[in-house]
Amino acid sequence: MDADGAPLKLYRWALAGLPLAFLAIFFVYPVGTLIGLGLGLGDPIPGVPAGTGLGDVRGVLWFTVWQAVVSTVLTVAVALPGAAMLARFVLPGRALIRALVTVPFVLPTVVVGAAFLALIGPDGLLGVELDRTVWAILAAHVFFNYAVVVRIVGSVWSQLDRRSVEAARVLGASRVSAFCRVTLPALRPAIAAASSVVFLFTFTSFGIVQILGGPSYATLEVEIYRRTVYLLDLSGAAVLSMVQFVAVAVLLAVDAVLTGRQRAARLGTPSPRRPRGFGEWAFVGANLVVLVGLLSTPLAVLVERSFATSDGYGLAYWRALFSADASSVLPSPAWETVGTSLRYAVIATLLAVLIGVCAAVVLVRPGRLRGAFGLLLMLPLGTSAVTVGFGFLVALDEPPLDLRDSALLVPCAQALVAVPFVVRAVLPVLRAIDNRLREAASVLGASPARVWWRVDLPLVWRSLAAAAGFAFAISLGEFGATVFIARADNPTVPVAIAQLLGRPGEVNAGQAMALATVLMVLCAVSLIVLDRLRPAGAGGEL
């Protein structure tokens, strides 16, 4: 049987059916319904006045844009030296340093917000109350996105051909001149790529701004949430969601154009070395100070505050997690939210892996499906989680898709965010497999399913396991969409943390810090497992 015969084509179309159905139900339909609502199409939402207006949102839009620009500039400026250090030098504990750099990025934004509240909030360790200020938001954005710049730029920097720099030095160029004239131009594509990713993350920032910004600051994401939950202005929120969706689409298009115009840098084999001389060791020392001060301190303070009570250090807040106090903010003991989050994350991971593998098998071969199908799979990455969650709220509430009381609603939202990462992790490995192996198995009579089981799976399982670990960490900490659709009597850990931080009281704040510590440990363990399962030679990003 020919490897590209009719049975194989039918097999690929059948595999494409599951991802297409999933995306149609849980992405295209909710987002499309939301856009229609924003344009005034369809039936009005019951209980919401038809004349509800947007008012003046120019201030919100302006703040969203300028804080994203400033956050991006600060992140690139702070993280570039770190990228240079990890790319150029072999250091003791280099693996530990890389883990320290990466952990903040996989942490839920709610945990990041809680960590900075413990550091610079009321009764914070530094004694300087900076919460409810833009400085806290900017600092948290740098903390969260530091790893993006280090891993994207650092992976290219480590492979730059050193001979060009050495030739410039031989011709009399200083270190600064060689960097500006040789290294920097070669790094511009990577810096542009990292900057676009950071700008996208900060433009759609929700959890950090919600916790640290207070009522004075709101991005489009936060304003959509406020109008939905507090003002019941669903029509206005729909218009804002549409504005943000269009803005994100424009950002992705501009990034694609800029990336397409840039030339690839001349790369070689990575050859890091030990630092030499006082200047290089001073450079390494300064970077380590930044790493400890910026990345380690907030996390360490978060753990410390979970034990610090008004009567000294103790386990009062941790014991409160198991209590069912009638005055508690949560409907059940806070510890039960950990089980809820783990259960949802496992289901979401299984869904993401199943759908992502089906999609990757379809995309591994050229065909009519490849271009449009690949774009559709990546669209959820460019759509804000708040928009997706709000779309679930307004679209999936009527038969035959009345899923408001379904236990699968939250895992489906989390899986929607995780599927693109599974595809990006598995697809390169599938493409690297020699297609002659598949053809030989087919000639010997193996069905397409048996070819996958006998040929592809043994070669791809490590990448698949790593993708599952990353999907688990993403699902565990997802907040933007979950906060819209999680049931009030069964919140996840990130939602519970936000609820506890939103209420006054020492015990509420202490429980939030303890829950955030638990979530941080779970995400860190997922990251460690991910790094151990990553195939040798795999790239820095999924």
Side-chain angles (χ1 to χ4, degrees), residues 22-297:
F22 181 79
L23 290 170
I25 295 172
F26 295 107
F27 180 72
V28 176
Y29 177 60
V31 173
T33 301
L34 197 59
I35 292 176
L37 182 63
L39 293 174
L41 306 176
D43 298 327
I45 300 174
V48 179
T52 306
L54 274 175
D56 186 8
V57 297
R58 287 177 297 179
V60 174
L61 183 58
W62 169 241
F63 175 74
T64 302
V65 173
W66 81 254
Q67 66 81 24
V69 171
V70 175
S71 296
T72 302
V73 172
L74 288 176
T75 303
V76 172
V78 173
L80 271 181
M85 178 186 72
L86 290 175
R88 294 173 56 196
F89 300 128
V90 176
L91 302 171
R94 190 166 182 261
L96 179 62
I97 296 173
R98 288 182 63 85
L100 175 62
V101 167
T102 310
V103 163
F105 182 67
V106 301
L107 289 178
T109 54
V110 174
V111 174
V112 175
F116 274 81
L117 276 182
L119 187 64
I120 57 178
D123 301 320
L125 183 68
L126 294 184
V128 180
E129 195 168 329
L130 292 178
D131 66 311
R132 306 297 189 265
T133 69
V134 71
W135 304 110
I137 295 172
L138 296 177
H141 281 163
V142 173
F143 169 86
F144 185 76
N145 293 290
Y146 185 93
V148 174
V149 177
V150 168
R151 302 199 72 160
I152 293 178
V153 178
S155 63
V156 175
W157 204 331
S158 66
Q159 300 178 73
L160 287 182
D161 192 340
R162 295 284 302 170
R163 290 175 295 181
S164 300
V165 177
E166 293 168 357
R169 294 299 306 277
V170 169
L171 293 174
S174 64
R175 289 180 181 271
V176 174
S177 178
F179 173 79
C180 294
R181 292 178 177 273
V182 179
T183 304
L184 186 58
L187 290 176
R188 278 176 186 163
I191 294 174
S195 299
S196 64
V197 172
V198 173
F199 185 87
L200 183 63
F201 285 156
T202 53
F203 185 86
T204 58
S205 180
F206 175 60
I208 288 174
V209 179
Q210 174 77 357
I211 292 175
L212 297 178
S216 302
Y217 299 99
T219 56
L220 283 172
E221 290 269 271
V222 175
E223 186 65 16
I224 292 167
Y225 176 75
R226 288 178 182 174
R227 287 180 178 273
T228 303
V229 175
Y230 300 119
L231 302 180
L232 294 180
D233 181 10
L234 301 189
S235 298
V239 174
L240 288 176
S241 296
M242 187 177 65
V243 170
Q244 178 164 286
F245 185 78
V246 172
V248 170
V250 171
L251 288 174
L252 292 175
V254 170
D255 175 64
V257 171
L258 292 177
T259 303
R261 291 179 177 177
Q262 290 166 342
R263 295 179 300 174
R266 184 180 178 184
L267 303 180
T269 303
S271 55
R273 57 176 175 78
R274 292 184 62 84
R276 302 168 186 165
F278 174 79
E280 291 186 351
W281 278 109
F283 176 77
V284 170
N287 272 285
L288 292 178
V289 169
V290 171
L291 286 177
V292 172
L294 177 65
L295 303 183
S296 301
T297 303

Side-chain angles (χ1 to χ4, degrees), residues 353 356-357 360 378 418-431 459-471 530 534-535 538-539 541-542:
V353 169
V357 167
M378 293 300 134
V419 163
F421 292 96
V422 175
V423 174
R424 293 179 65 182
V426 175
L427 187 56
V429 181
L430 285 176
R431 285 176 174 165
L459 298 174
V460 81
W461 77 266
R462 289 180 66 88
S463 289
L464 188 59
F470 200 72
L530 168 68
R534 189 188 305 277
E541 300 80 40
L542 283 175

